Amino acid sequence: MNRNYQQTRPYIGHDYQTFGVRSEMLLDGKENGVRLLRLKNGGQLQAEVVCDRGLSLGEVAYKGLNLSFLSHTGVVAPAYYVENGKDGFYKNFFGGMMMSCGMTHMGAPCEDAGRSLGLHGPMPCTPAEEVCATVEGKNGDAPQIVVRGKLRQSEVYAEHLVCERTIRMGYGENKISIHDEIRNEGFEKQPFMLLYHFNFGYPLISEHTKVLLAELECTPRDEIAQGGFGARYQMDAPSAGRPEECFFCKLKGNADGDTIALVENEALGLAAALKYNTVQLPFMTEWKSMMAGDYALGINPGVYTPMGRAHARENGILMYIEPDETKSFDFELYVSDDAGEIAALRGAVAAL
């Protein structure tokens, strides 16, 4: 389909026949009451935005093929979340294409500054406020779906941080853009930790999948990861009971710090490219989970490795956000099955 928006209009009734956004609510089990938005790009890309779970990207599909890891927990409603070690996260980790972790803590559970901090912090289970989904530019040839909302992390006598998120999907563009602005609305500086958990799954991820990126340095998290270090960017077939592997990397960027991570399934001729800025997010953690039933690949940019806030403090690199300070973060997720476009993406990575 090569028609622009105005050329398509005479062929359709409701815009959502090809392009637009629709509000939905999940009803079954622990998913009951979860609000989400379903986006269609007028071409081959569809996506979910899960409003009540941190304005995360849920399922993302291209030409009917799923690109995301979706775990067996389902999209657990935020009321079930308890910040309790690893359990608070793992019992609620539905996966999805993108889940943001933070904002004052992410990574391993720990005790820091007199507080007990659970895995990846409360951001993934925070319901969004002031959610607005619109289509902008309908008088032109290339309108955009725009989703806006706020995530608030606040506690009496403690932090008050607000993330304003904007998600865009253009007509006919196989691309999703995300822009975050996180502001400290309190009156004292606060620890600042943030990680974006991009989760790719079957059928994009299989033993035919490899990751291509401009690695500057990389360190295995532990002995298990050390054993798979040489094959860290090649996916394997799933196997029961296989432990996860994590690799802590820094990537090369261009003059502005922009970098690209390419996830390509050679058998399908399908690839997803994640573009982000290494100045904004200097660390990238590869999460390689080849366990049967929990089969996923995570490309996870962050302000630090997910070793936890106490670890960052002990190593003297814990970040802070000052009162009234705003920190911004940008991403583009692009999908293609065009051989020429995929080759160009490989070339862009190689040129970094």
Side-chain angles (χ1 to χ4, degrees), residues 129-146:
E129 307 171 12
E130 300 180 27
V131 177
C132 177
T134 59
V135 176
E136 299 181 355
K138 289 183 68 173
N139 293 328
D141 292 336
Q144 287 193 332
I145 301 168
V146 183

Side-chain angles (χ1 to χ4, degrees), residues 21-38:
V21 56
R22 175 165 287 174
S23 301
E24 300 180 2
M25 181 176 288
L26 303 178
L27 297 176
D28 287 342
K30 289 185 175 182
E31 296 183 338
N32 184 41
V34 174
R35 300 171 299 156
L36 59 81
L37 301 169
R38 195 173 302 278

Side-chain angles (χ1 to χ4, degrees), residues 212-216 251-262 274-276 278 345-352:
L212 183 65
L213 41 78
E215 180 185 293
L216 186 63
L251 304 186
K252 300 175 186 176
N254 62 16
D256 296 320
D258 295 330
T259 194
I260 301 173
L262 183 65
L274 177 64
K275 180 180 178 181
Y276 71 95
T278 59
L345 288 167
R346 290 194 212 104
V349 175
L352 292 173

Side-chain angles (χ1 to χ4, degrees), residues 205-219:
I205 301 303
S206 76
E207 57 268 40
H208 305 292
T209 303
K210 63 181 180 181
V211 180
L212 183 65
L213 41 78
E215 180 185 293
L216 186 63
E217 60 182 70
C218 188
T219 305

Side-chain angles (χ1 to χ4, degrees), residues 256-292:
D256 296 320
D258 295 330
T259 194
I260 301 173
L262 183 65
V263 180
E264 180 182 358
N265 187 309
E266 295 175 315
L268 294 178
L270 179 64
L274 177 64
K275 180 180 178 181
Y276 71 95
N277 188 274
T278 59
V279 177
Q280 297 174 347
L281 298 162
F283 294 86
M284 190 282 286
T285 298
E286 181 198 2
W287 172 55
K288 183 177 177 181
S289 178
M290 302 288 97
M291 182 185 293

Side-chain angles (χ1 to χ4, degrees), residues 14 22 68 71 78 97 116 125 133 172 214 231 260 266 284 286 322:
H14 195 287
R22 175 165 287 174
S68 315
S71 87
M97 176 54 73
S116 180
C125 291
I260 301 173
E266 295 175 315
M284 190 282 286
E286 181 198 2
E322 298 289 340

